[in-house]
Amino acid sequence: MEGGNELQYLVDAEELPAQLEENMTEPSIDDLNGNIEPAVTYESDPTSPQENPEDTPDGCLTSHPTTSDQTSDEGVEDKIGNSVFYVDDQQEFPADEHRGNLNMISAAYESLDYDTSINSVLVDEERTKGFQFVRKKDMARWLVVLITGVLTALVACSIDITIESLSSFKYQWLKECTDKGVLTGVLIVPFLLWAALNMGPTLIAAILGSYIEPMAAGSGIPQVKCYLNGVKVPRVVRIKTLVSKVVGVTMSVLGGLAVGKEGPMIHSGAVIAAGVSQGKTTSLSKDFGFFEYFREDHEKRDFVSAGAAAGVAAAFGAPVGGVLFSLEEGASFWNQALTWRVFFAAMMSTFTLNLVLSAYNGVPGKLTYNGLLNFGKFDDLTYEIWEFLPFLLMGVVGGLLGALYNYINKKLTGFRMKYINTPWKKIVEALGMALLTACVAFFMIYCMDDCREISESAEYPIQMFCEPGKESAAASIWFQTPEKSVRALFHDPPAAFEWLTIGVYFVFYYFLACFTYGLGIPSGLFIPTLLCGAAWGRLTGILIKFMFPDQDWVDEGKYALVGAGAMLGGVVRMTLSLTVILMECVGNITFGLPLMIVLMVAKWVGDFFNEGLYDIHIQMAGVPIMGWEAPSLSKNIYASEVMNRPVVTLRSVEKVSRVVSLLQSHTHNGFPVVDSIPEDGQASYFKSFGTLRGLILRSQLTVLLKHKVFNENTELWQNSKVDIHLFRQSYPRYYTMEEVELTPEDLNMTLDLRPFHNPSPYSVMACTPLPRIFSLFRALGLRHLVVTNDNNEVVGMVTRKDIVRFRMWTHKGRMGLEELVIYNQVA
């Protein structure tokens, strides 16, 4: 396990149960610090040390004895159990030598409010509008997913048609220039032209992904996964992000880089769904006035799930795979009704794209273009029982290559986080990679002496140094888009490529793809990984053909398909959804079992060394994402050990000046409402902070202050009808305190919170174990969880970061529990 900033309880897997209690000793400050200072891990200032056993919350036993010999260290103010508190001014960026590690969490990421605040104004809306309103909302949900599917498909069509048209011009120009250069013996001109045609579009993509909208860089799948997990990722679903993503990925593919256009379609579909469902655009400051009742995080999340599925369906022509992708890799919270709507969105996306592309290619109504990625029709995709042995071995190889791919990319990403962290550096790096790609391709075509008869499917045959009537096999792979290269490796006849050509191409393209992912450009991961796997898979088929020359069951294209699946599975570690996606791309369900076995083996082998690439990038960004289950053997960690205290509370009727002061001095997003609170001077000596009456959000308070909904000036707001519409108007960018203008007279007024706070927030006892808290956050989509004592008095607050910082790790057969370090920002 790399890095030394986390608390690691490191034991062998088979010895874990016996040694856990012994190894989970109280950490020292030096163990936490290493060479850098940890930031505050809690949202509030710490209390004074709890050395008195009576300060322990009622009915709760600490799992580790509390000692006071470390409280004199600088910055440490309090300890409960094994939890160390730090003061606010210690929050900072991690040191450069530690930036890019996997053991850090960024405090810059907030959670989404998936839990609906059921207060009086919401209940009033349901009471007045009745079941007719419920039926209207349900019909509107189907309309939103229909529009999402159609628009996602149209965006995919525009990307595909643009790439096909411009790449046709590019490769035709390169072919003419190369043929002329071979005749004249001056090959520097076609090389410079190729470099220019690569670097020009890449420059546009790099500007969009570095200067215009950095959130558009990459595939966007990790960001969408985090959003659906409940993390508020800034600018992830904005129109500006969508435009930059669509134009940028088009330019990236035209730039000849080892990227694909399929992965970004998932992000594009998510942005489209988020925009359509809200009926407004904050980027353009335009409110269309419809779908206002969907302006909440819970509804928006469901539509984003449908948009992601529609993106998968448009990219691969796999509607079922899209639904499973949203379920497996995306949405943390699921229900049966959502499944049907997501499937409908994916189906409409596939149908619309099929209809448009079929008409564009001159076969309207024939519907032969299911997705952007078309594997082509396999004439005879059958297998023998004894072929499971090479399939299993290919799964092992795919897992090993995927683990190596992820390891190299992780190191490279850490380097980029430390040194290539400004827009101009990212642009220079992207241009350098475009130039390197042109150099590698031209060098390979120039040096490889692999000539073959010009195939019927060749669009831009390059003769190079071959005899008349023949073409360079190496050039046939490079002189086309990556999707067509994958299809060529699947379907070109036997002996179409020599083993040396395929081997050299795989080595070069493997490292090009590894270095390209993570550049400051919109780019996809699926196609480069599939192309790498198809290359070594076809090489495996050539080897098996050499060993069994007279066997009809040996098909190089079949092994190229298995290799492509093994490679992709070894990198991203998806199983169920990826199996179905590949099956739908192939159109042969009988080959599902070999694909499933290969993907499972590749995942198991890869997981032995590291995690999937998407998970690695999420962890390196410090996103507090929640796994499917709580860390193992964490039942001896209680709410009293992870909660925040002291707690900032509000009374049911509060003075405006105090509300404003709290909002300005604290960044909390949720405040428990209590009957009475201790005075400031006595707060540190109180075990509780008042009897719990409810919970109110920061966003609700700012709206009330902005519209001056005060008790003393009812004549100003009573006629304007303060209802749920008032809060939906400002969603999702609620007012900041700088936007709230109050007079000195306003500060002396009072604010009644009872109609607006949630009177029944979720709460737990102080002795609740961590797995139970984790289950509540995971299943209910919570953002805040109030901790109470036996008398229902507030003693603490738990947020996502408090429980996510405890993480289980596995590596090479070993496992352990670690406590991550939290910083203001990681990258």
Side-chain angles (χ1 to χ4, degrees), residues 526-695:
F526 282 89
I527 292 303
T529 312
L530 286 172
L531 187 51
C532 291
W536 69 260
R538 181 143 186 147
L539 195 61
T540 304
I542 294 174
L543 176 61
I544 296 178
K545 186 71 173 179
F546 176 77
M547 297 170 61
F548 305 97
D550 299 326
Q551 298 297 322
D552 295 335
W553 52 268
V554 180
D555 182 5
E556 297 177 9
K558 175 174 61 177
Y559 286 95
L561 174 62
V562 173
M567 186 70 199
L568 184 55
V571 172
V572 300
R573 312 288 165 78
M574 294 189 298
T575 51
L576 177 62
S577 59
L578 191 55
T579 301
V580 176
I581 288 173
L582 293 178
M583 284 171 51
E584 291 184 277
C585 286
V586 172
N588 189 327
I589 196 172
T590 61
F591 208 68
L593 181 59
L595 288 174
M596 184 186 71
I597 292 176
V598 166
L599 289 171
M600 289 177 61
V601 172
K603 174 179 171 55
W604 290 340
V605 173
D607 284 344
F608 184 78
F609 298 98
N610 49 37
E611 298 186 72
L613 190 59
Y614 294 144
D615 294 324
I616 289 176
H617 278 256
I618 289 172
Q619 292 179 19
M620 296 185 76
V623 181
I625 191 170
M626 297 185 68
W628 288 105
E629 297 178 349
S632 303
L633 303 176
S634 59
K635 293 182 178 63
N636 60 340
I637 301 176
Y638 300 111
S640 58
E641 300 178 73
V642 301
M643 66 185 183
N644 299 332
R645 60 176 309 182
V647 182
V648 180
T649 57
L650 295 169
R651 289 178 287 256
S652 298
V653 179
E654 191 62 81
K655 196 171 183 180
V656 174
S657 59
R658 184 171 185 271
V659 175
V660 172
S661 175
L662 290 180
L663 292 179
Q664 290 175 339
S665 59
H666 296 84
T667 60
H668 309 334
N669 287 282
F671 300 88
V673 179
V674 297
D675 50 0
S676 62
I677 58 177
E679 297 180 3
D680 294 339
Q682 300 176 330
S684 60
Y685 301 100
F686 274 71
K687 290 166 55 179
S688 68
F689 302 91
T691 303
L692 179 64
R693 299 302 182 194
L695 180 74

Side-chain angles (χ1 to χ4, degrees), residues 23-36:
N23 286 340
M24 288 188 64
T25 56
E26 195 165 331
S28 67
I29 301 305
D30 292 335
D31 292 332
L32 278 171
N33 286 352
N35 297 323
I36 50 179

Side-chain angles (χ1 to χ4, degrees), residues 416-611:
R416 286 168 173 157
M417 293 175 68
K418 295 177 186 178
Y419 304 110
I420 309 178
N421 47 21
T422 56
W424 72 268
K425 291 181 180 178
K426 295 179 181 180
I427 292 176
V428 171
E429 184 191 22
L431 292 176
M433 187 56 62
L435 178 61
L436 178 62
T437 303
C439 292
V440 169
F442 198 85
F443 174 79
M444 182 175 170
I445 295 172
Y446 182 82
C447 295
M448 299 302 298
D449 186 17
D450 183 8
C451 298
R452 67 178 188 180
E453 298 293 333
I454 298 179
S455 61
E456 297 180 358
S457 60
E459 296 184 59
Y460 316 104
I462 303 296
Q463 181 179 347
M464 208 63 183
F465 304 119
C466 298
E467 301 174 359
K470 293 187 177 183
E471 65 171 337
S472 169
S476 67
I477 305 179
W478 287 104
F479 268 68
Q480 55 189 356
T481 59
E483 288 83 0
K484 292 183 179 179
S485 298
V486 172
R487 200 154 52 243
L489 292 173
F490 286 167
H491 297 289
D492 277 7
F497 304 97
E498 292 185 359
W499 68 269
L500 184 60
T501 303
I502 296 295
V504 172
Y505 177 78
F506 162 69
V507 172
F508 280 142
Y509 204 83
Y510 179 87
F511 288 104
L512 284 176
C514 186
F515 294 160
T516 301
Y517 188 78
L519 292 176
I521 59 171
S523 60
L525 173 66
F526 282 89
I527 292 303
T529 312
L530 286 172
L531 187 51
C532 291
W536 69 260
R538 181 143 186 147
L539 195 61
T540 304
I542 294 174
L543 176 61
I544 296 178
K545 186 71 173 179
F546 176 77
M547 297 170 61
F548 305 97
D550 299 326
Q551 298 297 322
D552 295 335
W553 52 268
V554 180
D555 182 5
E556 297 177 9
K558 175 174 61 177
Y559 286 95
L561 174 62
V562 173
M567 186 70 199
L568 184 55
V571 172
V572 300
R573 312 288 165 78
M574 294 189 298
T575 51
L576 177 62
S577 59
L578 191 55
T579 301
V580 176
I581 288 173
L582 293 178
M583 284 171 51
E584 291 184 277
C585 286
V586 172
N588 189 327
I589 196 172
T590 61
F591 208 68
L593 181 59
L595 288 174
M596 184 186 71
I597 292 176
V598 166
L599 289 171
M600 289 177 61
V601 172
K603 174 179 171 55
W604 290 340
V605 173
D607 284 344
F608 184 78
F609 298 98
N610 49 37
E611 298 186 72

Side-chain angles (χ1 to χ4, degrees), residues 746-763:
D746 294 332
L747 296 177
N748 293 322
M749 296 183 181
T750 57
L751 183 61
D752 190 353
L753 305 180
R754 287 171 292 186
F756 310 104
H757 74 68
N758 182 3
S760 56
Y762 290 100
S763 62

